[in-house]
Amino acid sequence: MLPLPPSLYPSLIAALLYAVATLIQGLRLSRGARADKRLICALGVVAVIAHSVALGSQLLTSHGLNLDFITAASLIAAAVIALTLLACASLPVETLLVLIYPLGLVTAMVAQFAPPGTVPRIDEEPGILSHILLSILAYGLFTMAVVQALLLLVQNHQLKHKHPTGLIRAFPPLQTMESLLFGFLWAGWIFLSASLLSGWLFLENMFAQHLVHKTLLSCLAWVVFAVLLWGRHRLGWRGHKAIRWTLAGFCLLMLAYFGSKLVREYILHI
């Protein structure tokens, strides 16, 4: 009988807690009641700890750091949830958790049971690890921004048509939602800038054949977010225009990382 992988039980615990927290919050919001912030955050903290324990054994191998497509997705999901929980301490962003917790549930389970991709292990050099950490933080913050943008889109639509549902009635005011969106965008853009700079400093060649698509798409995403932030500051961009630019930049960023990894690991097998 094969021994059970050490990440199995932490992954199951994390998935269960994410599911329970999502169900509790979803039921309350559907009735127009405010989320029980303490309860869903407490469940989320324990879930992220269990998720992190599982990721520890999945990432750290005897051959180096394993960052295949699925494990990287699980790591970014855990980072997104952890960042959102930290933000909940001072900002009214607990509504985001009803959409982000299921992301953690799915990625924790898929990372546990799906076959690994054919990606080489990464040597744990400090410069490379700093680049990876900055990239994960940038992706995490932009994921929070795009979830916020989608919620803002729904809120805009329902307020415009004067039929807000229970979920929308639990949201903060529209101006607060927009301010939170641009706060996430500014933080994500700063970390993306630092990530690109660290890549130039610590990677041997960012335009090598296996990195060129990622580099170009990441730079395009950086430009899109820079234009959006400039437009907000100088031209007062908001509403649908801000949401469209946010989604465009996010799609470029996800193609840069996950698109290239998916093709390399599961299609080309390189």
Side-chain angles (χ1 to χ4, degrees):
M1 183 177 179
L2 294 174
L4 294 174
S7 60
L8 177 61
Y9 290 119
S11 295
L12 293 174
I13 292 169
L16 177 62
L17 292 174
Y18 287 141
V20 170
T22 302
L23 181 62
I24 291 171
Q25 189 183 21
L27 288 174
R28 286 183 65 87
L29 291 176
S30 67
R31 296 195 296 265
R34 291 216 172 257
D36 188 337
K37 188 172 181 177
R38 287 188 178 182
L39 177 59
I40 61 171
C41 287
L43 289 170
V45 168
V46 179
V48 166
I49 292 172
H51 197 165
S52 301
V53 171
L55 278 167
S57 60
Q58 292 164 351
L59 287 166
L60 302 175
T61 71
S62 57
H63 304 290
L65 188 66
N66 171 31
L67 267 180
D68 65 12
F69 175 83
I70 293 172
T71 308
S74 183
L75 176 60
I76 290 174
V80 169
I81 295 168
L83 287 169
T84 308
L85 289 170
L86 286 173
C88 281
S90 56
L91 299 170
V93 294
E94 61 273 11
T95 311
L96 297 179
L97 295 170
V98 76
L99 298 179
I100 294 174
Y101 279 161
L103 179 67
L105 188 161
V106 170
T107 56
M109 286 291 89
V110 173
Q112 181 60 48
F113 295 108
T118 57
V119 65
R121 301 308 192 253
I122 300 170
D123 293 331
E124 298 170 32
E125 299 176 5
I128 301 298
L129 290 180
S130 67
H131 171 68
I132 292 170
L133 177 61
L134 289 167
S135 298
I136 289 170
L137 288 172
Y139 293 137
L141 287 162
F142 280 126
T143 301
M144 292 168 67
V146 83
V147 172
Q148 182 76 5
L150 293 173
L151 292 175
L152 186 59
L153 184 65
V154 174
Q155 186 180 25
N156 256 320
H157 180 269
Q158 295 203 359
L159 291 176
K160 183 178 179 181
H161 291 83
K162 298 180 181 180
H163 57 83
T165 61
L167 175 63
I168 298 304
R169 287 196 296 270
F171 283 7
L174 200 63
Q175 187 175 359
T176 302
M177 292 283 283
E178 282 196 343
S179 297
L180 289 172
L181 169 62
F182 280 94
F184 292 142
L185 288 171
W186 269 112
W189 185 77
I190 289 169
F191 276 102
L192 179 59
S193 302
S195 170
L196 291 172
L197 179 60
S198 65
W200 286 104
L201 291 175
F202 299 118
L203 296 177
E204 291 183 4
N205 182 6
M206 286 187 68
F207 288 96
Q209 184 175 4
H210 66 292
L211 292 175
V212 63
H213 295 93
K214 178 182 176 182
T215 301
L216 291 175
L217 287 169
S218 296
C219 289
L220 282 174
W222 184 92
V223 171
V224 168
F225 287 122
V227 171
L228 170 57
L229 293 169
W230 175 85
R232 170 71 169 185
H233 178 67
R234 298 298 300 243
L235 305 175
W237 287 1
R238 53 178 300 177
H240 283 81
K241 180 173 286 188
I243 292 168
R244 285 196 297 269
W245 279 80
T246 300
L247 295 176
F250 183 77
C251 287
L252 286 170
L253 202 58
M254 291 302 100
L255 281 173
Y257 189 70
F258 288 112
S260 61
K261 286 183 76 67
L262 179 65
V263 170
R264 288 178 57 213
E265 294 175 29
Y266 293 96
I267 298 176
L268 299 179
H269 300 287
I270 58 173

